[in-house]
Amino acid sequence: MRLNNYIGGSWQEAGGADYTAVLNPANGMELAQVRLSTKEDVSLAVKSAKEAQRKWALVPAPKRADFLYEIGRLMKEKKEHLSQVLTKEMGKVIEEARGEVQEGIDMALYMAGEGRRMFGETVPSELQDKFAMSVRAPIGVVGLITPWNFPVAIATWKSFPAIVAGNTFIWKPATETPMMAYEMALIFEEAGLPAGVANIVFGSGAEVGTAMIEHPDVRVISFTGSTETGRHVAETGGRHLKKVSLEMGGKNAVIVMDDADIELAVEGILWSAFGTAGQRCTACSRVIVHTDVKEELEQKLVEAMKVLSIGDGLDESVKIGPVINKKALDKIHGYVGIGKDEGAKLLAGGNILTAGKLADGHYYEPTLFTDVKWDSRLAQEEIFGPVVSLIEVSSLDEAIEVNNSVKFGLSSSIFSRDVNKVFRAQRDLDTGIVYVNAGTTGAEIHLPFGGTKGTGNGHRDSGVAALDVFTEWKSIYIDFSGKLQRAQIDTD
Ligand code: NAD
């Protein structure tokens, strides 16, 4: 199977000479081939998106929303198929894949609703017989650059608000996960989305991503990926005065206080640390535990980790799938080595798994370190794999300080039954998302999603806040006095 670009409503072969193979991380089997695109392919896509946008912006928003309702309906109809492709391509276990596809469906319906809201403001004018209001205006052609770990959900968080607001888009999916983008293109086509509203260009970040950011007709770049790449995107975008929205890495922590329900905390940690094999931007990578419950938590975590089943995510009984590729596997194992060198104590895991069929894929054993120093590399850097570090603290203040000590600011969580501690924590934890008595993952699509510090640059995906990325505020003054009234002139 060879995947072609989707440009201007038709399937077009990319101009690059090279193909890349899409491999199933669970077993190394080839799933598809993709021809890499060039700068010229991007220009073609931008041209078609620009032409389409003029008409699309004039379609009433509730009518634009009708396409989203249809896209949501089709996604629902194909949910099992999409989930299976997602698991094969990305590796996450099938129940998580179904959850991710459902997020996309929810986003379609939620953003379709915005077609009948998209509120602006009407405010009194300071002058007689004058009317003042603000409206959200579309921006034009927007560029979407997405990572492999949520190949559908993140694309829907970006593309659905973009189109309901009257923009058209070029989407460059991650090179590891083009098949989900291809599946979405089929759905856009079947939903009858006018040609040129949705464009998908496959290719590398360096060639296609850069061409999108530098193209003068792409007005917004919405990026999700690593902090390293995001910085580069922001620098390049900044030079071209682009509006750049960045959602980047994380080093998220669960705080377990001395009054916590430990069983619940264990469940929350397991799910948010080892779900998606730790490859979520919101994955729990640190556990900040109060001295009085440290030993109990360690024992219970080690016990609970023993029963986690690892394997191909298509097997319904498997809880942890593979990591995305060999490079990721080596990076994770490298961090385990760093942890040992730094003097952290390995309580469980720490190995690349190669027994039987696991040797064909990229599997890492769920890993738990304790006695980790808060300022060590293990505790500060994003690993993006199933590795958790326990850090001991003796008070809530210290826990918050340790949580906030990292350069990222995506998600945090606290397990405590003391309402005073909980309220102080939700105020003082410096992340964009805070959970109480739950792990660090589990965002809902109708709330803003994003982070502070090295995780973001002030924008948000998801929720109504996503519309801020894809619209400009336009202030409109209508004078019906029949004479020239001069505002900003002090007549007193
Ligand atoms: P990545 O930064 O390697 O790639 C992300 C996207 O950027 C890909 O499409 C890639 O092709 C593209 N890209 C690479 N180089 C580029 C360049 N020079 N110019 C333009 N585009 C370029 O990230 P990844 O490995 O795909 O994803 C994992 C990272 O994403 C982790 O750091 C994770 O925390 C982060 N992430 C963040 C969020 C969030 O919402 N905060 C969500 C999911 C993932």
Side-chain angles (χ1 to χ4, degrees), residues 145-150 154 157 172-176 203-206 209-210 213 223-227 229-230 232-233 247-250 280-281 382 384 410 449-450 455 461:
I145 301 176
T146 56
W148 49 265
N149 69 331
F150 277 85
I154 290 176
W157 294 354
K172 191 208 88 62
T175 32
E176 294 84 351
S204 74
T210 305
I213 303 165
F223 166 88
T224 298
S226 64
T227 299
T229 312
H232 170 77
V233 168
E247 299 296 343
M248 301 173 286
R280 292 180 178 211
C281 50
E382 186 179 48
F384 224 53
L410 185 53
F449 184 94
T455 297
D461 272 346

Side-chain angles (χ1 to χ4, degrees), residues 154-417:
I154 290 176
T156 66
W157 294 354
K158 297 178 187 302
S159 60
F160 295 170
I163 59 179
V164 82
N167 307 284
T168 55
F169 69 84
I170 322 287
W171 169 22
K172 191 208 88 62
T175 32
E176 294 84 351
T177 51
M179 290 178 75
M180 289 316 295
Y182 172 76
E183 293 290 337
M184 286 306 293
L186 291 173
I187 287 176
F188 295 148
E189 191 177 44
E190 194 175 342
L193 202 60
V197 172
N199 302 276
I200 295 169
V201 179
F202 298 112
S204 74
E207 174 95 19
V208 174
T210 305
M212 283 164 64
I213 303 165
E214 291 183 341
H215 198 295
D217 289 332
V218 177
R219 305 274 308 281
V220 178
I221 292 290
S222 176
F223 166 88
T224 298
S226 64
T227 299
E228 199 186 1
T229 312
R231 180 174 286 115
H232 170 77
V233 168
E235 282 169 2
T236 315
R239 273 203 304 283
H240 295 268
L241 296 179
K242 294 286 161 75
K243 183 175 188 181
V244 178
S245 163
L246 304 172
E247 299 296 343
M248 301 173 286
K251 188 70 184 177
N252 315 291
V254 167
I255 296 172
V256 183
M257 291 309 297
D258 47 351
D259 56 32
D261 176 339
I262 300 294
E263 311 288 338
L264 187 66
V266 167
E267 264 189 70
I269 294 165
L270 281 192
W271 172 235
S272 54
F274 303 127
T276 328
Q279 304 168 109
R280 292 180 178 211
C281 50
T282 51
C284 163
S285 185
R286 299 177 295 159
V287 172
I288 302 169
V289 58
H290 192 280
T291 311
D292 293 353
V293 290
K294 175 178 175 256
E295 229 178 275
E296 184 188 352
L297 185 71
E298 283 172 357
Q299 281 167 5
K300 290 192 165 148
L301 273 174
V302 170
E303 248 347 271
M305 284 168 68
K306 284 184 188 152
V307 297
L308 293 172
S309 48
I310 300 162
D312 188 331
L314 284 180
D315 177 342
E316 301 270 354
S317 69
V318 161
K319 290 286 169 229
I320 299 180
V323 300
I324 189 73
N325 53 29
K326 168 101 175 45
K327 194 172 156 214
L329 201 62
D330 291 343
K331 180 181 170 197
I332 295 162
H333 200 48
Y335 270 103
V336 168
I338 289 169
K340 288 179 186 166
D341 292 346
E342 286 177 330
K345 191 169 146 198
L346 186 63
L347 284 183
N351 299 300
I352 293 174
L353 297 172
T354 53
K357 281 188 176 170
L358 297 184
D360 299 333
H362 311 293
Y363 296 91
Y364 205 84
E365 198 177 10
T367 299
L368 180 66
F369 277 105
T370 193
D371 298 336
V372 177
K373 295 191 191 73
W374 69 269
D375 57 351
S376 61
R377 285 187 65 193
L378 194 61
Q380 291 284 323
E381 297 175 13
E382 186 179 48
I383 300 171
F384 224 53
V387 179
V388 187
S389 298
L390 255 65
I391 304 166
E392 183 180 347
V393 292
S394 55
S395 67
L396 178 63
D397 284 343
E398 194 185 348
I400 292 171
E401 205 174 314
V402 168
N403 178 81
N404 295 354
S405 70
V406 294
K407 67 180 178 191
F408 305 102
L410 185 53
S411 180
S412 56
S413 121
I414 179 165
F415 282 86
S416 168
R417 285 184 274 213

